[in-house]
Amino acid sequence: MTTAMPHPLRRLRTPALLALGALSLSACVSLGGKAPPFLLTLDSDVAPVVGEARSAGEAQTLTILIPNAPQKLRTTRIPVQQDDASVAYVKDAQWVEAPQRLFQRLLSETVAAKTPLVVLDEGQYLTAPGEQLASQLLEFGVDARTNEAVVSLQAMRVAAGGKTVTQRRFEVREPIGGKIEAKPVGEALTRAANKVATDVAAWLAG
């Protein structure tokens, strides 16, 4: 009795498919290497009522501009002020996008929820800008000397037509309550950012 030999192509098919599967998997999953950083974002404590419609004249609208920021904040990393002259960054922690943009979105949500103003983004500026809120994010990180998260904002309210300008500085410090690590730092900064946004909304409504 003779034994049939497998066809050469048949012998090669299974290893070839396994190799192809391995290549496809490697395109989706990185095996080994350094783990990605802890990605953080800011969530607002409040939000406008879903489905609520507001209408306003130009004088009742407020355009909230993206804050300016110093060089140490123009990154997705979180700065740690170690002393008066040196800055480090929280290990393995990173914002999902620039903190200025994250804070501007949180501030817009808070002001829209807590005031009767119609809040516009920069992309809607040309429709009816009304008043403008310009600002500079002075601090948005960690003070290692006190183990606190710090959010400091210099805000400037510009009346429609630019006839009057009012300035005010806001600052909130929140204890981290442990080591300077991604999760507790992100939580403390979120609490501080929400408190600053609430203070700004109260100022605008007053």
Side-chain angles (χ1 to χ4, degrees):
M1 184 177 67
T2 60
T3 302
M5 295 294 293
H7 192 280
L9 290 178
R10 207 171 283 167
R11 289 202 307 268
L12 290 173
R13 187 188 305 169
T14 301
L17 289 174
L18 288 175
L20 180 60
L23 287 173
S24 300
L25 181 62
S26 67
C28 301
V29 179
S30 176
L31 302 177
K34 187 177 179 180
F38 201 111
L39 295 177
L40 302 169
T41 189
L42 293 176
D43 292 320
S44 176
D45 288 343
V46 294
V49 177
V50 175
E52 180 185 34
R54 295 185 186 182
S55 60
E58 183 176 336
Q60 296 170 294
T61 61
L62 176 72
T63 301
I64 298 181
L65 307 177
I66 297 174
N68 292 319
Q71 187 62 42
K72 71 177 181 179
L73 298 181
R74 294 178 192 172
T75 174
T76 54
R77 302 176 71 186
I78 302 175
V80 179
Q81 193 73 42
Q82 296 181 312
D83 53 44
D84 291 337
S86 59
V87 176
Y89 290 92
V90 178
K91 183 181 179 182
D92 294 332
Q94 182 175 306
W95 296 113
V96 295
E97 60 181 317
Q100 304 97 293
R101 180 57 175 152
L102 288 173
F103 183 76
Q104 185 257 1
R105 191 177 295 118
L106 182 147
L107 182 59
S108 295
E109 287 271 295
T110 304
V111 172
K114 290 183 172 289
T115 75
L117 295 167
V118 174
V119 178
L120 304 178
D121 201 345
E122 286 193 50
Q124 302 164 307
Y125 176 81
L126 294 178
T127 57
E131 289 190 326
Q132 296 178 54
L133 184 70
S135 61
Q136 183 173 15
L137 202 56
L138 303 173
E139 296 290 345
F140 202 82
V142 175
D143 187 342
R145 296 162 294 191
T146 59
N147 204 42
E148 293 174 314
V150 184
V151 176
S152 181
L153 183 78
Q154 178 73 34
M156 181 172 65
R157 185 178 187 177
V158 183
K163 295 180 180 180
T164 61
V165 176
T166 308
Q167 285 188 331
R168 184 171 174 182
R169 181 172 292 196
F170 302 86
E171 182 172 297
V172 171
R173 290 173 170 265
E174 279 288 312
I176 294 171
K179 293 182 179 179
I180 298 177
E181 296 175 338
K183 190 173 187 296
V185 166
E187 291 172 347
L189 279 170
T190 297
R191 292 195 303 271
N194 271 284
K195 288 181 179 180
V196 168
T198 297
D199 290 345
V200 173
W203 175 54
L204 294 171

